[in-house]
Coordinates of all heavy atoms in Angstrom, one line a residue:
I1457 N 80.6 83.8 101.9 CA 80.6 82.5 102.4 C 81.6 82.4 103.6 O 81.3 81.8 104.6 CB 80.9 81.4 101.3 CG1 79.9 81.4 100.3 CG2 81.1 80.0 102.0 CD1 80.2 80.6 99.1
Y1458 N 82.7 83.0 103.4 CA 83.7 83.0 104.6 C 83.1 83.7 105.8 O 83.2 83.2 106.9 CB 85.0 83.8 104.2 CG 85.9 83.0 103.3 CD1 86.4 83.4 102.1 CD2 86.4 81.7 103.8 CE1 87.3 82.7 101.4 CE2 87.3 81.0 103.1 CZ 87.8 81.5 101.8 OH 88.7 80.7 101.1
K1459 N 82.3 84.8 105.5 CA 81.6 85.5 106.6 C 80.6 84.5 107.3 O 80.6 84.4 108.6 CB 80.9 86.7 106.1 CG 80.0 87.4 107.1 CD 79.3 88.5 106.5 CE 78.3 89.2 107.5 NZ 77.2 88.3 107.9
N1460 N 79.9 83.8 106.5 CA 78.9 82.9 107.1 C 79.5 81.7 107.9 O 78.9 81.2 108.8 CB 78.0 82.3 106.0 CG 77.0 83.4 105.5 OD1 76.7 84.4 106.1 ND2 76.6 83.2 104.2
Q1461 N 80.8 81.4 107.5 CA 81.5 80.4 108.2 C 82.3 80.9 109.4 O 82.9 80.2 110.1 CB 82.5 79.7 107.3 CG 81.8 78.9 106.2 CD 82.8 78.3 105.2 OE1 83.8 78.9 104.9 NE2 82.5 77.2 104.6
G1462 N 82.2 82.2 109.6 CA 82.9 82.8 110.8 C 84.4 83.1 110.5 O 85.1 83.5 111.4
Q1463 N 84.8 83.0 109.3 CA 86.2 83.2 108.9 C 86.4 84.7 108.5 O 86.4 85.0 107.3 CB 86.7 82.3 107.8 CG 86.6 80.8 108.2 CD 86.9 79.9 107.1 OE1 86.0 79.2 106.5 NE2 88.2 79.8 106.7
I1464 N 86.4 85.6 109.5 CA 86.3 87.0 109.3 C 87.5 87.6 108.5 O 87.4 88.4 107.6 CB 86.1 87.8 110.6 CG1 84.9 87.2 111.4 CG2 85.9 89.2 110.4 CD1 83.6 87.2 110.7
K1465 N 88.7 87.1 108.9 CA 89.9 87.7 108.2 C 89.9 87.4 106.7 O 90.1 88.3 105.9 CB 91.1 87.0 108.9 CG 92.4 87.6 108.3 CD 93.6 87.0 109.0 CE 94.9 87.5 108.4 NZ 96.1 86.8 109.0
E1466 N 89.5 86.1 106.4 CA 89.4 85.8 105.0 C 88.3 86.6 104.3 O 88.5 87.0 103.1 CB 89.1 84.3 104.8 CG 90.3 83.4 105.2 CD 90.4 83.2 106.7 OE1 89.6 83.7 107.5 OE2 91.3 82.4 107.1
A1467 N 87.2 86.7 104.9 CA 86.1 87.5 104.4 C 86.5 88.9 104.0 O 86.2 89.4 103.0 CB 84.9 87.5 105.3
L1468 N 87.2 89.6 105.0 CA 87.6 91.0 104.8 C 88.6 91.1 103.6 O 88.5 92.0 102.8 CB 88.2 91.5 106.1 CG 87.3 92.2 107.0 CD1 88.0 92.5 108.4 CD2 86.8 93.5 106.4
D1469 N 89.5 90.1 103.6 CA 90.5 90.1 102.5 C 89.8 90.0 101.1 O 90.1 90.8 100.2 CB 91.5 88.9 102.7 CG 92.5 88.9 101.6 OD1 93.2 89.9 101.4 OD2 92.6 87.8 101.0
F1470 N 88.9 89.1 101.0 CA 88.2 88.9 99.7 C 87.3 90.1 99.4 O 87.2 90.5 98.2 CB 87.4 87.6 99.7 CG 88.2 86.4 99.3 CD1 89.1 85.9 100.2 CD2 87.9 85.7 98.2 CE1 89.9 84.8 99.8 CE2 88.6 84.6 97.8 CZ 89.6 84.1 98.6
Y1471 N 86.6 90.7 100.4 CA 85.8 91.9 100.1 C 86.7 93.0 99.6 O 86.3 93.8 98.7 CB 85.1 92.3 101.4 CG 83.8 91.6 101.6 CD1 83.4 91.2 102.9 CD2 82.9 91.2 100.6 CE1 82.2 90.6 103.2 CE2 81.7 90.6 100.8 CZ 81.4 90.2 102.1 OH 80.2 89.6 102.4
A1472 N 87.8 93.2 100.3 CA 88.7 94.3 99.9 C 89.3 94.1 98.5 O 89.4 95.1 97.8 CB 89.8 94.4 101.0
R1473 N 89.6 92.9 98.2 CA 90.2 92.6 96.8 C 89.1 92.9 95.8 O 89.4 93.5 94.7 CB 90.6 91.2 96.8 CG 92.0 90.9 97.5 CD 92.2 89.4 97.6 NE 92.3 88.8 96.4 CZ 92.4 87.4 96.2 NH1 92.3 86.7 97.3 NH2 92.5 86.9 95.0
S1474 N 87.9 92.5 96.1 CA 86.8 92.7 95.2 C 86.5 94.2 95.0 O 86.4 94.7 93.9 CB 85.5 92.0 95.7 OG 84.4 92.4 94.9
L1475 N 86.4 94.9 96.1 CA 86.2 96.4 96.0 C 87.3 97.1 95.3 O 87.0 98.0 94.4 CB 86.1 96.9 97.5 CG 85.8 98.5 97.6 CD1 84.6 98.9 96.9 CD2 85.7 98.8 99.1
K1476 N 88.5 96.7 95.5 CA 89.6 97.4 94.8 C 89.5 97.2 93.2 O 89.6 98.2 92.5 CB 90.9 96.8 95.2 CG 92.2 97.5 94.6 CD 93.4 96.9 95.1 CE 94.7 97.5 94.4 NZ 95.9 96.8 94.9
M1477 N 89.1 96.0 92.8 CA 89.0 95.7 91.4 C 87.8 96.5 90.8 O 87.8 97.1 89.7 CB 88.8 94.2 91.2 CG 90.0 93.4 91.4 SD 89.8 91.7 90.8 CE 89.7 91.9 89.1
Q1478 N 86.6 96.5 91.6 CA 85.5 97.3 91.1 C 85.8 98.7 90.9 O 85.3 99.3 89.9 CB 84.3 97.1 92.1 CG 83.9 95.7 92.5 CD 83.1 95.0 91.5 OE1 83.0 95.4 90.4 NE2 82.5 93.9 91.9
E1479 N 86.5 99.3 91.8 CA 86.9 100.7 91.7 C 87.8 101.0 90.6 O 87.8 102.1 89.9 CB 87.5 101.2 93.0 CG 86.4 101.3 94.1 CD 87.0 101.9 95.4 OE1 88.2 101.6 95.7 OE2 86.2 102.5 96.1
E1480 N 88.7 100.1 90.3 CA 89.7 100.3 89.2 C 89.0 100.4 87.8 O 89.4 101.2 87.0 CB 90.7 99.1 89.1 CG 91.7 99.2 90.2 CD 92.7 98.0 90.3 OE1 92.5 97.1 89.5 OE2 93.6 98.1 91.1
F1481 N 87.9 99.6 87.6 CA 87.2 99.8 86.3 C 85.8 100.4 86.4 O 85.0 100.4 85.6 CB 87.1 98.5 85.5 CG 86.6 97.3 86.3 CD1 85.3 97.1 86.6 CD2 87.5 96.3 86.7 CE1 84.8 96.0 87.2 CE2 87.0 95.2 87.4 CZ 85.7 95.0 87.7
G1482 N 85.6 101.0 87.6 CA 84.4 101.9 87.8 C 83.1 101.3 87.7 O 82.1 101.9 87.2
Y1483 N 82.9 100.0 88.1 CA 81.6 99.3 88.1 C 80.8 99.7 89.3 O 81.1 99.1 90.4 CB 81.9 97.8 88.0 CG 80.6 97.0 87.8 CD1 79.6 97.3 86.9 CD2 80.4 95.9 88.6 CE1 78.4 96.6 86.8 CE2 79.2 95.1 88.5 CZ 78.3 95.5 87.6 OH 77.1 94.8 87.5
K1484 N 79.9 100.6 89.2 CA 79.2 101.2 90.4 C 78.4 100.1 91.2 O 78.4 100.2 92.4 CB 78.3 102.3 89.9 CG 79.1 103.5 89.5 CD 78.3 104.7 89.2 CE 79.2 105.9 88.8 NZ 78.4 107.1 88.6
L1485 N 77.7 99.2 90.5 CA 76.9 98.2 91.2 C 77.8 97.4 92.0 O 77.5 97.1 93.2 CB 76.1 97.4 90.2 CG 75.3 96.2 90.8 CD1 74.3 96.8 91.8 CD2 74.6 95.4 89.7
G1486 N 78.9 96.9 91.5 CA 79.9 96.1 92.2 C 80.5 96.8 93.4 O 80.6 96.3 94.5
I1487 N 80.8 98.1 93.2 CA 81.3 98.9 94.3 C 80.3 99.0 95.4 O 80.6 98.8 96.6 CB 81.7 100.4 93.8 CG1 82.8 100.3 92.8 CG2 82.0 101.3 95.0 CD1 83.1 101.6 92.1
A1488 N 79.0 99.3 95.1 CA 78.0 99.4 96.1 C 77.8 98.1 96.9 O 77.7 98.1 98.1 CB 76.7 99.8 95.4
M1489 N 77.8 97.0 96.2 CA 77.6 95.7 96.8 C 78.8 95.4 97.8 O 78.6 94.9 98.9 CB 77.4 94.6 95.8 CG 76.1 94.6 95.1 SD 74.7 94.5 96.2 CE 75.0 93.0 97.2
A1490 N 80.0 95.7 97.3 CA 81.2 95.4 98.1 C 81.2 96.3 99.4 O 81.5 95.8 100.5 CB 82.5 95.6 97.3
L1491 N 80.8 97.6 99.2 CA 80.7 98.5 100.4 C 79.7 98.0 101.3 O 79.9 98.0 102.6 CB 80.4 99.9 99.9 CG 81.5 100.7 99.2 CD1 80.9 101.9 98.5 CD2 82.6 101.0 100.1
N1492 N 78.5 97.6 100.8 CA 77.4 97.1 101.6 C 77.9 95.9 102.5 O 77.6 95.8 103.7 CB 76.3 96.7 100.7 CG 75.0 96.3 101.5 OD1 74.9 95.3 102.1 ND2 74.0 97.2 101.4
N1493 N 78.5 94.9 101.8 CA 79.0 93.7 102.5 C 80.0 94.0 103.5 O 80.0 93.4 104.6 CB 79.5 92.7 101.5 CG 78.4 92.1 100.6 OD1 77.2 92.0 101.1 ND2 78.6 91.8 99.4

């Protein structure tokens, strides 16, 4: 949503936080989606 609103810094921050959590507990679908986004 931040991305769609043009708030790139916030979008990157939220994506990175999500990706870090997904990798910590090894959820592959979540990792793939975060990398994609």
Side-chain angles (χ1 to χ4, degrees):
I1457 297 174
Y1458 279 126
K1459 173 184 176 291
N1460 290 337
Q1461 291 175 328
Q1463 296 174 256
I1464 306 303
K1465 184 179 178 183
E1466 290 80 0
L1468 269 170
D1469 178 55
F1470 274 68
Y1471 277 143
R1473 287 167 61 190
S1474 174
L1475 179 56
K1476 183 180 176 182
M1477 289 189 71
Q1478 306 281 14
E1479 288 183 328
E1480 283 176 356
F1481 50 77
Y1483 182 49
K1484 290 187 176 180
L1485 176 59
I1487 294 169
M1489 287 305 302
L1491 289 169
N1492 187 288
N1493 289 329

